[in-house]
Amino acid sequence: MKFKTLIAGAVLACSWTGVAQAADSDPQYLSDWWHQSVNVVGSYHTRFGPQFNNDVYLEYEAFAKKDWFDFYGYLDLTNFFGAGNSNANGIFDHGSPMFMEIEPRFSIDKLTGTSLAFGPFKEWYFANNYIYDMGRNSDNRQNTWYMGLGTDIDTHSDVGLSLNVYAKYQWENYGAANENSWDGYRFKVKYFVPITTLWGGNLGYVGFTNFDWGSDLNEKGGSSRTSNSIASSHILSLGYDHWHFSAVARYFHNGGQWADGQELNFGNGPFEVKSTGWGYYLVAGYNF
C-alpha cells in the first residue's frame, strides 16, 4: 500500500486568519464570499502512513460561509516541486496526480427556517468530510466519506469553536481490509484564537483535532493496523490582505491507523512503524 501522498492540507485552514481578519485597506478579491488562495507547503515527518513522509507541494485552498452553506476544502498536487523523499512520489513521478479534501456543511436551522439553538449551541449542520486521493490505480487510491452532525459553539468571545461528529463510509483505501464498508466514526473539533497584530498583519492560533475510533481495521487487517487514531494540528498564522504565512505542528497517534512500534517489510527490508509523534509544516500563500 502506498501512503506516500497522504498529506495534511487540512491544516492550512490557517489562511482563514488572513482573509477573515484582513486589514482595513479594503483589499480586492475575485469573490466577496468564496475565499481562495494558492499555497506552497513544505511538510516534514508527517505520519499518515507507516513511514515518515517529507514533501513540498502546491495547493489550492478555499473556504466560504454564505446563508445555509459552510465550506472548507483544498486540492494538493503532491511532490509538485520534486523536493520530497522517496515516500513522496506525486504528480510528475508516477505517484498520485491529486489529493483532495472538502468539508461542506449545510445549516439545518437555515434550510428549515427554524432556530435549533440552545445553551452554547448556536447553529446545527448536516456535516461532511470527504477525502479523495486519486492514485494511479485502485490499489493506490483513497475514497472516504464522513457524514454526520455539526454545530458552532457560542464562546462569548472572539474565539471560534465548532464541533462535528461523523460516521465513516470507506470505499477504496489503498487495498486495506476495510474497503467498501461502514467502518468507524470521527469526532472533529476546530478552534480559532486571534492573538494580536504583528508586523502589520494579524497573528492567530488555529487548530483542529480528529479523533477516529470504532474501526474494524485492526480486526480485519491484523496487528499492524488499529481501530483508532488521532491527528491534532496546532497552527500559528500571520495573515495580511493577500499574503499569509504559517508554521504548523501536528501530533499523530497511530497515524493512518497504523500501529506504532510494529515491524513491517514492504520488500525493501524490515522497518519499525513510527506512526506516533510530531510532524511539521511551513506554509506561504496568496489570497486572491
Side-chain angles (χ1 to χ4, degrees), residues 39-137:
N39 308 314
V40 176
V41 185
S43 65
Y44 177 74
H45 276 193
T46 57
R47 302 167 189 253
F48 284 98
Q51 297 174 292
F52 289 148
N53 185 35
N54 306 322
D55 196 0
V56 181
Y57 55 92
L58 188 67
E59 175 178 83
Y60 169 80
E61 182 184 31
F63 77 90
K65 188 172 181 66
K66 185 176 179 65
D67 299 327
W68 47 265
F69 183 55
D70 181 270
F71 179 86
Y72 172 73
Y74 62 89
L75 186 153
D76 293 332
L77 303 179
T78 53
N79 203 25
F80 186 87
F81 298 99
N85 62 11
S86 60
N87 299 316
N89 292 354
I91 182 171
F92 300 125
D93 53 2
H94 308 293
S96 176
M98 179 192 76
F99 182 91
M100 178 185 76
E101 181 172 8
I102 60 173
E103 298 180 30
R105 300 196 306 171
F106 307 95
S107 172
I108 300 171
D109 298 51
K110 290 185 173 66
L111 287 171
T112 61
T114 304
S115 175
L116 302 175
F118 68 93
F121 304 103
K122 296 191 296 183
E123 191 170 356
W124 293 89
Y125 302 86
F126 173 49
N128 301 269
N129 187 176
Y130 177 70
I131 301 169
Y132 181 69
D133 184 350
M134 189 173 183
R136 293 287 175 174
N137 52 56

Side-chain angles (χ1 to χ4, degrees), residues 189-210:
V189 54
K190 288 185 170 184
Y191 33 90
F192 165 69
V193 182
I195 298 176
T196 187
T197 57
L198 179 68
W199 301 324
N202 296 294
L203 182 67
Y205 166 65
V206 183
F208 71 86
T209 301
N210 292 328

